[in-house]
Amino acid sequence: MIRPNLLQPNIKTGHDREVLAVYPYRSACPRSVWAQLIAEARSEVFLAGYTNYFVWLEQPELLQTLRRKAGSGCRIRFLLGDPDSDTTRERERIEDVALTVSTRIRVTLESLAKLSGVEGVEARFSAPEDGPNHVGLSVFRFDEHALVTPHLARTVGHDSPLMHLRRSGENGLFDRFAEHIEELWSRGRDIRTAPVDA
């Protein structure tokens, strides 16, 4: 017979029910998870990592997928750090890696230019004063799911942990992180990209 007091700590009963999975490294989260979340999102895809560059490299045909989703009414948003900001320069100094933060942002900007003019696709740089808050926490939202990466000290994104959340009620973990990126978005400035032939 199982005693209730022994079972209780192993049953999710509060806001922790929103935690579907945790990974010690973002790179440990299967690419198939990302692909499924992108594919199944119907109303919103909000990529609020500081660079977002890895998504373009790891998800085949992402441009075509985002075009289709935007065409079906899904809102697509990208929130990026400014490649020329003080926050970006400081983060590059801290990470000290060959593939710099500004280069990673420019990979995303180059891809976003191919989506220029697509209705439903928006992109902003976070405000200069929000740079430190943005660079330390990446949030990727897909309707009621989110993948969240708090960046550890000197580590790059793929070496930082990741949580997979699914919204189950008001004011839980999901809502807290969603509010965070909405606040950053509200103060950001629109990115103007020249169209590039796909």
Side-chain angles (χ1 to χ4, degrees):
M1 177 176 172
I2 298 175
R3 294 187 310 206
N5 62 333
L6 292 177
L7 189 59
Q8 186 65 31
N10 298 314
I11 297 176
K12 294 182 177 185
T13 59
H15 292 300
D16 63 336
R17 286 179 299 165
E18 295 193 327
V19 179
L20 295 186
V22 292
Y23 303 90
Y25 302 91
R26 188 189 71 203
S27 54
C29 178
R31 292 180 184 183
S32 59
V33 170
W34 291 85
Q36 182 176 352
L37 293 176
I38 293 168
E40 293 181 357
R42 294 291 173 260
S43 60
E44 176 153 28
V45 172
F46 189 177
L47 302 178
Y50 198 77
T51 71
N52 295 306
Y53 87 105
F54 70 95
V55 183
W56 302 100
L57 304 180
E58 295 179 0
Q59 295 302 313
E61 300 185 2
L62 182 60
L63 280 171
Q64 296 89 331
T65 299
L66 294 180
R67 277 199 189 98
R68 280 195 307 271
K69 298 196 85 58
S72 66
C74 185
R75 186 182 189 191
I76 311 291
R77 289 187 286 171
F78 286 83
L79 182 66
L80 302 171
D82 186 333
D84 299 315
S85 70
D86 291 341
T87 298
T88 296
R89 283 189 286 275
E90 176 61 12
R91 189 64 192 179
E92 288 180 341
R93 185 192 66 76
I94 290 169
E95 290 183 2
D96 191 26
V97 295
L99 187 59
T100 65
V101 176
S102 57
T103 298
R104 299 191 314 253
I105 293 169
R106 287 187 170 91
V107 168
T108 294
L109 292 174
E110 185 178 89
S111 296
L112 284 174
K114 297 173 183 175
L115 291 170
S116 181
V118 176
E119 189 72 28
V121 178
E122 306 166 74
R124 291 182 182 176
F125 288 131
S126 53
E129 63 271 21
D130 287 329
N133 294 324
H134 187 191
V135 78
L137 180 67
S138 294
V139 180
F140 308 93
R141 179 179 179 178
F142 313 91
D143 292 346
E144 301 295 292
H145 288 258
L147 299 174
V148 178
T149 295
H151 295 267
L152 302 181
R154 298 180 179 276
T155 60
V156 294
H158 64 265
D159 283 336
S160 292
L162 179 141
M163 295 183 293
H164 181 179
L165 308 177
R166 181 177 60 207
R167 189 176 191 274
S168 66
E170 293 184 0
N171 302 315
L173 282 174
F174 179 94
D175 282 357
R176 299 296 308 280
F177 288 116
E179 289 163 7
H180 169 74
I181 56 175
E182 290 296 343
E183 183 177 347
L184 296 183
W185 179 263
S186 73
R187 289 192 292 269
R189 62 183 173 86
D190 289 343
I191 296 173
R192 303 293 179 203
T193 56
V196 174
D197 292 334

